[in-house]
Amino acid sequence: MIPQVQFLFSFFMSRNKPIVPIKLYKIFIIIFLLCAVLHSHLSYGQVVYDNNSVTVETAGPLSFTVPAGTDRLLVVYVGAFSTGDSGTAAATFNGQSMGKAITSEDFFAISHATSIIFYLALDDGAAITSNVTISGINSVGFIGANSYTGVDQTTPLGNTAQDIGDNNVTATSHTLSPTTSSGDLLVHFFTTASAINASLGGEATAFSGFSLGPPNQIVGGYKIATAVSHNLTTNFESAFGVWAHVAAEFNQVSTAPELDVRNNADNADITDGSTTINTTLGTDFGTVLVGNTSSSTFRAENNGTGTLTFGTDALAISNTTDYSITTDLTNSGTMAASGVEAFTIQFNPQSLGTKMCTVTIRSDDADEDPYTFQLQGLSPQIPTINLSVSTNSGAEAATTAITVTATASSTVTGNQTVDVGVSQQAGTITAGDYTLSNTTITIPDGQTTGTVTFTVADDNVFEGVETARLTISNPSSGVTLGSTTTQDIAITDNETVTLALDASTYSVNEGDGTVSVDVVISNIPTGNMEVAIPAVINTSNGTATAPDDYTALVNSTQSFPTTASNSDKLTFSITIDDDSDIESSENFTAALTSTLTGVTIGSPSTTTVTITDNDIPLPTVTIAIEGTTTVTEDSGGTITYRFTRTGDTTTNLDVNYSIGGTTQNEDFTVTTDANTTYIPGTRTGTITILAGNAFADLVITPLDEDLIEAAETVVVKIENP
């Protein structure tokens, strides 16, 4: 930023002319002197008036162009008819606030009217066209503007007033007396004279001398070497009474703020608009993994001589996804000259890739608002970790040593770790079943693998086959877990127990309902058992079939508890079906197995179960003719058919019969009673062999029909016993 400057402005005004605002500029002689400052190591240049002056007799705004150049200075002078506005008066150009150098409310001809000079030092560069806007003044009479280049801006002029005339100024020679030395003296006349010139005597080195500017204006620039008087000579004098004064105070301190940003170590500047990314400046956050953070602290410094005021949003960042402000600047806060305020930006990447961010600081620094610089951070692809083992099985007898490996998808940065734990996947894994060389797997910096050793332990406890599950977890910040985080290791036991059936044959009566088959355990090791021992029974049909004769057992399982002792038994109950069939003895088999590896099946491993029938056999019924088999119709004889049973005679036995042959119903009669029935229509009947009897007789008597017939037959048949 170019430091702001201070200077003094003097009005010369007629006492006798009426006050007409639109004519004011014709009766003014304006002399203002300026000393401004660049940095002390620069050499003094030539003060050059841009031959550029505009005056308007309105309240503005005033459109004005500052030409391209270096060490440029814009001067704006305002005359007002109102008083009491010097404290609120303000001017802006191109969006920048102008400094206020001189205010006066003591003009003779305009009672307590106000005159103000504003100034603005501008950066080197191209021409700037903008409006000069005045505010805070109730009644503006006119606005004038001039611009200069080559103004030495190392030492601004103060505001000590020096009278150069009063009433009618007829003299053409005036004495200017600076109180201190060194600086540029800028003299600007504005008069109604048509032919004007001026010179400055004394100890002064001319830069450009006086030259004619726009109509009725003369400008000149001089370097003042020491604090001696200088004679200002003009060729014109005012015909009217004039009161005026001139400033002649040099080497005053600028009150302009100057914002600079430095790294936290305070050994490097971060210039406005900087895109430099490096760790020295703190603008390079380096490599940060997703989910992690890195912070940089910076110094906001006021290296000017005036108070710096921050904007309402003092500090802002463009990338609020991956960056955040953890220590902010004070919004609308102030910072005294030489003051420092630290602020901190944190990089917290949310995704992979290079992340850029623009930092913006708002303040009243005239030429560095906003003040910006770039930040950069990188979030690389994080290596993923998968778990593997040299073998997924081991044996107690061999005390197998198994290498457990954590493998990264790419080389790791810094030592990276994962925790490894052992849990029970099957069986009863305990700490006594294995040793693990370390519960943390470390992958060294620049490597892709790290290992620990899992060793199977040999004990004297029956466990069967156990399965240990190894799991990695809790990855360090430089890695993430992959898709394979577990491995199972099956441990084969070298202890055993024996199961056997307690008999190779069983017999059961059909009416007993069930038969019990026992399994016996033996050879239990001295360390006892950590697992229950399952016994499994499956039945198979023989001459007896399921479900007609018994209920089958399919993988029927019972287990000996871990507290079992040798010779303990498990009893399996098999249901026997009690039917009414008269059968011979039948049998089926039952076989013993176990689902647990390490269990020996002893002898006998199968048994035969015989079922004895409990049903009485049914009797056999036969029929035969007792006595004669031939009889004539009129002989009075009968034919007897005897139904005889063999076997059980303890109950009545009903036998169904039918009568056939060549006879008709009218050819015979059947002797019936309580134990014998006959239905002529169907020629069927029932005869009962009473309990305790082995037979019953059916008697048929021929009938005489007085018909001449051939011989006829009667056939009796058993239909159902």
Side-chain angles (χ1 to χ4, degrees), residues 320-351:
T320 57
T321 299
D322 303 296
Y323 293 83
S324 61
I325 300 170
T326 56
T327 304
D328 206 345
L329 293 174
T330 305
N331 293 333
S332 303
T334 59
M335 182 190 295
S338 301
V340 177
E341 186 172 348
F343 60 94
T344 302
I345 309 294
Q346 184 181 82
F347 179 43
N348 182 15
Q350 302 301 302
S351 59

Side-chain angles (χ1 to χ4, degrees), residues 29 154 158 202 239 241-242 262 411 438 513 520 625 628:
I29 299 176
T154 60
V242 174
R262 292 174 65 80
T411 56
N438 202 318
V520 181
I625 297 174
T628 183

Side-chain angles (χ1 to χ4, degrees), residues 328-682:
D328 206 345
L329 293 174
T330 305
N331 293 333
S332 303
T334 59
M335 182 190 295
S338 301
V340 177
E341 186 172 348
F343 60 94
T344 302
I345 309 294
Q346 184 181 82
F347 179 43
N348 182 15
Q350 302 301 302
S351 59
L352 303 180
T354 299
K355 309 298 181 181
M356 304 300 297
C357 180
T358 299
V359 178
T360 300
I361 302 175
R362 301 307 303 263
S363 72
D364 63 351
D365 186 322
D367 64 344
E368 291 176 322
D369 179 35
Y371 195 114
T372 64
F373 61 95
Q374 290 283 326
L375 304 177
Q376 177 180 297
L378 172 64
S379 180
Q381 179 70 49
I382 302 175
T384 57
I385 302 297
N386 289 294
L387 184 66
S388 63
V389 291
S390 56
T391 179
N392 290 99
S393 62
E396 280 190 8
T399 59
T400 309
I402 298 172
T403 301
V404 182
T405 304
T407 302
S409 58
S410 59
T411 56
V412 300
T413 301
N415 291 348
Q416 301 297 329
T417 62
V418 290
D419 292 341
V420 58
V422 181
S423 61
Q424 174 183 309
Q425 176 61 13
T428 55
I429 292 293
T430 65
D433 294 323
Y434 66 92
T435 58
L436 191 64
S437 62
N438 202 318
T439 57
T440 299
I441 301 177
T442 300
I443 303 176
D445 180 33
Q447 303 298 311
T448 59
T449 61
T451 63
V452 295
T453 301
F454 178 96
T455 304
V456 177
D458 186 11
D459 55 27
N460 63 350
V461 178
F462 179 81
E463 300 150 315
V465 174
E466 301 173 295
T467 301
R469 171 157 289 181
L470 278 65
T471 303
I472 55 174
S473 62
N474 192 29
S476 55
S477 61
V479 292
T480 60
L481 297 180
S483 58
T484 304
T485 58
T486 63
Q487 289 289 340
D488 291 342
I489 298 175
I491 301 174
T492 302
D493 198 3
N494 60 348
E495 281 77 32
T496 185
V497 296
T498 301
L499 300 181
L501 296 171
D502 71 339
S504 59
T505 61
Y506 290 88
S507 294
V508 61
N509 190 283
E510 185 180 71
D512 291 345
T514 61
V515 61
S516 294
V517 176
D518 291 335
V519 178
V520 181
I521 188 169
S522 61
N523 297 325
I524 298 175
T526 58
N528 290 323
M529 303 179 296
E530 281 190 354
V531 292
I533 309 300
V536 181
I537 295 293
N538 285 278
T539 57
S540 299
N541 291 337
T543 55
T545 60
D548 295 335
D549 298 315
Y550 70 98
T551 300
L553 297 184
V554 179
N555 293 328
S556 179
T557 303
Q558 296 183 54
S559 296
F560 288 95
T562 58
T563 57
S565 300
N566 286 321
S567 301
D568 284 354
K569 294 182 179 181
L570 295 174
T571 298
F572 290 81
S573 180
I574 304 173
T575 300
I576 304 300
D577 183 48
D578 184 10
D579 58 26
S580 61
D581 296 337
I582 299 173
E583 306 165 301
S584 59
S585 294
E586 300 172 301
N587 61 67
F588 64 90
T589 59
L592 171 65
T593 60
S594 180
T595 56
L596 184 62
T597 301
V599 174
T600 299
I601 303 300
S603 180
S605 61
T606 61
T607 188
T608 300
V609 180
T610 299
I611 304 172
T612 302
D613 192 18
N614 64 345
D615 296 305
I616 299 173
L618 293 174
T620 300
V621 179
T622 60
I623 187 172
I625 297 174
E626 287 292 316
T628 183
T629 60
T630 303
V631 66
T632 59
E633 289 182 352
D634 56 356
S635 65
T638 61
I639 299 175
T640 300
Y641 293 86
R642 177 164 288 181
F643 292 83
T644 302
R645 64 177 174 183
T646 60
D648 182 36
T649 60
T650 60
T651 61
N652 291 344
L653 177 64
D654 293 330
V655 180
N656 296 323
Y657 68 90
S658 64
I659 298 176
T662 59
T663 58
Q664 302 298 319
N665 282 334
E666 58 270 19
D667 292 328
F668 64 89
T669 62
V670 176
T671 301
T672 61
D673 55 27
N675 298 318
T676 303
T677 64
Y678 177 68
I679 302 173
T682 61

